[in-house]
Amino acid sequence: MYNQFKSISLSHRNATLAIREQLALNEAEAKSMMLRLKDFFDVSDVLVVSTCNRTEIYYSASTDLNEEIIKMLLIQKGVSDLESFKAYFERFSKGENAVQHLFQVATGLQSQVVGDMQIPNQIKHAYQWSADLNMAGPFLHRLLHTIFFANKRVAQETFFRDGAASISYAAVELLEGLMPNPKVLIVGLGEIGADVCRNLAQKATTEVTIVNRSRDKSDKLAEELGFRVADFSDIEAEISRADIIVSSIVRDEPFFSKEMMVRLRGMSFKYFIDLSVPRSVSPEVEEIPGVMLYTIDSIRSKADEALHRRLDAVPHVREIIDEAVLEFNDWSKEMIVSPTIQKLKGALEQIRKEELTRFTKNLSDSELEKVERITTSMMQKILKLPVLQLKAACKRGEAETLIDVLNDLFNLEKQSEKH
């Protein structure tokens, strides 16, 4: 099973946001994709991961289906120029490479913002989708739980999850500390503004309104995240209504000025978070009583500091991943001998039952119970050494020889057919 595990990956490393947006999958689309894979191909252990930075499909199959799955994904998403889009995908055809890649994605080593704290939850959602459709077998269950345990170690033993290492996440972290349950106005939905919105979507207690010059863009994002939308023409009314204004609009001179704040006299206390370059909020707004301004420089310094801590922790994270992968590899190798162990147990149990039937006809219930316990215990002790030897042979890469010996000694194939 280990050698049959494969994956395809489209991510920020090879594709622009415009490309990634076209191939992103929501929950319904991801589940639909999994069901189509099951209908068309002989696959198991299917995992579909889709975030703003990546769309990936993991699966187990005896043959390499990467090209077919890429084509199926592109067709499902309505892409007509298949050949040019294929170039954006990474392909992992060897089990060890696919497993290593999933570990790195799930821990945040492959994230656009190193150590992204959202990725573990996104992987858990993808795993739940697989479980919902009964497409997660023993291999995937064990792999994901090994990854989750490694993630727990990363959080406990390193600084890899500490602090906000992106501008957008640092802005949200700052925003959360300003006041409880604020009314937030997001102005401008470029890449940073949209990222702020997606990070805020995780905060259920925050009321968010989004404003953009292009209403189509704000409507689309609001539908995705469940936010309120306002027209750009109503911006001053929305400022009056909001507690915190996050601006990432692009223009040559400040949009939010002291004069605007004077016009809105009588308003409540306001915080401005300016993420624009050049600045979109004039420093003079702080001359108005009750108005405070945070600029991108102060936010970036916090993000840079957190990023340096995370990068310093990368070697330790890789050590944790290597240990977890080694443990998973040992388990995967033992999976190879599991059928032989079960056949051996079945063969010995059959012999035990047949002999008990022959010699226990005249025993009382209490005597029969004692004989059952004695013979079961004997069988378990007889089995112990072959099972340990099989598992040790797995680690040495010599399992196949021992499997053949046991099959010949106990005629396991015939016993299994007979049983």
Side-chain angles (χ1 to χ4, degrees), residues 213-238:
R213 287 192 183 278
S214 168
R215 178 69 188 241
D216 289 344
K217 192 169 186 178
S218 53
D219 283 341
K220 183 179 178 182
L221 191 62
E223 184 179 358
E224 175 191 337
L225 303 177
F227 290 164
R228 176 176 173 267
V229 182
D231 286 324
F232 199 86
S233 58
D234 296 328
I235 189 71
E236 292 194 5
E238 294 303 324

Side-chain angles (χ1 to χ4, degrees), residues 318-343:
R318 292 193 183 280
E319 287 176 12
I320 291 171
I321 290 176
D322 288 343
E323 290 171 16
V325 169
L326 185 62
E327 176 195 333
F328 180 73
N329 287 350
D330 288 344
W331 175 85
S332 298
K333 289 174 183 175
E334 289 182 11
M335 287 276 286
I336 297 171
V337 301
S338 181
T340 301
I341 292 171
Q342 294 307 315
K343 288 177 187 176

Side-chain angles (χ1 to χ4, degrees), residues 1-8 37 40-46 57-70 91-95 98:
M1 183 61 74
Y2 192 100
N3 291 330
Q4 296 184 357
F5 195 58
K6 305 169 184 69
S7 71
I8 61 167
L37 288 173
F40 281 87
F41 307 113
D42 183 16
V43 296
S44 61
D45 295 302
V46 180
I57 298 174
Y58 299 83
Y59 66 96
S60 290
S62 56
T63 57
D64 187 343
L65 302 170
N66 283 346
E67 298 304 321
E68 289 90 337
I69 291 174
I70 290 171
R91 298 152 177 83
F92 300 91
S93 300
K94 293 183 178 179

Side-chain angles (χ1 to χ4, degrees), residues 111-329:
S111 297
Q112 195 167 30
V113 177
V114 177
D116 184 355
M117 290 182 286
Q118 295 182 40
I119 193 67
N121 285 332
Q122 291 164 337
I123 297 294
K124 286 179 181 177
H125 288 318
Y127 176 38
Q128 185 62 54
W129 301 342
S130 297
D132 289 344
L133 297 176
N134 294 318
M135 298 187 75
F139 179 88
L140 191 63
H141 283 305
R142 181 69 179 231
L143 175 58
L144 267 297
H145 283 284
T146 304
I147 286 173
F148 296 151
F149 182 72
N151 251 322
K152 188 175 181 180
R153 283 192 61 194
V154 167
Q156 292 175 342
E157 298 176 23
T158 75
F159 294 107
F160 199 57
R161 298 268 185 260
D162 286 11
S166 73
I167 296 296
S168 56
Y169 203 91
V172 172
E173 196 175 73
L174 167 64
L175 181 154
E176 284 187 285
L178 295 178
M179 65 170 63
N181 306 325
K183 293 179 181 176
V184 179
L185 174 65
I186 308 293
V187 185
L189 297 178
E191 189 165 350
I192 290 180
D195 281 349
V196 170
C197 288
R198 290 192 171 92
N199 286 319
L200 276 172
Q202 312 297 319
K203 319 296 179 184
T205 57
T206 304
E207 180 186 330
V208 181
T209 300
I210 57 178
V211 172
N212 194 62
R213 287 192 183 278
S214 168
R215 178 69 188 241
D216 289 344
K217 192 169 186 178
S218 53
D219 283 341
K220 183 179 178 182
L221 191 62
E223 184 179 358
E224 175 191 337
L225 303 177
F227 290 164
R228 176 176 173 267
V229 182
D231 286 324
F232 199 86
S233 58
D234 296 328
I235 189 71
E236 292 194 5
E238 294 303 324
I239 293 169
S240 295
R241 182 177 179 276
D243 301 309
I244 302 171
I245 300 96
V246 181
S247 174
S248 61
I249 58 178
V250 179
R251 51 185 286 132
D252 294 332
E253 57 186 25
F255 175 77
F256 299 94
S257 63
K258 179 181 178 181
E259 290 72 29
M260 180 187 287
M261 296 303 104
V262 170
R263 284 200 305 274
L264 299 175
R265 61 170 61 92
M267 63 187 182
S268 59
F269 204 93
K270 303 290 177 190
Y271 293 97
F272 280 91
I273 300 175
D274 188 359
L275 304 179
S276 306
V277 179
R279 289 184 290 186
S280 60
V281 183
S282 169
E284 295 177 351
V285 298
E286 285 198 293
E287 296 175 10
I288 306 297
V291 177
M292 289 193 66
L293 171 63
Y294 294 89
T295 67
I296 194 170
D297 286 345
S298 58
I299 295 169
R300 181 179 282 131
S301 65
K302 290 182 181 179
D304 288 346
E305 183 183 338
L307 182 58
H308 288 312
R309 286 201 304 273
R310 292 186 182 190
L311 291 175
D312 288 342
V314 166
H316 191 178
V317 174
R318 292 193 183 280
E319 287 176 12
I320 291 171
I321 290 176
D322 288 343
E323 290 171 16
V325 169
L326 185 62
E327 176 195 333
F328 180 73
N329 287 350

Side-chain angles (χ1 to χ4, degrees), residues 98-118:
V99 165
Q100 185 72 226
H101 180 71
L102 182 53
F103 263 95
Q104 292 188 6
V105 168
T107 51
L109 280 175
Q110 294 281 348
S111 297
Q112 195 167 30
V113 177
V114 177
D116 184 355
M117 290 182 286
Q118 295 182 40

Side-chain angles (χ1 to χ4, degrees), residues 362-399:
N362 298 321
L363 296 182
S364 66
D365 288 345
S366 61
E367 290 171 330
L368 182 59
E369 184 181 344
K370 288 179 182 177
V371 173
E372 278 276 356
R373 285 204 310 270
I374 292 167
T375 54
T376 299
S377 176
M378 288 174 64
M379 190 187 79
Q380 288 172 347
K381 289 183 177 179
I382 291 169
L383 272 171
K384 185 176 181 180
L385 186 57
V387 168
L388 290 175
Q389 292 287 2
L390 272 171
K391 290 183 176 181
C394 281
K395 294 184 179 180
R396 297 193 307 268
E398 301 170 357

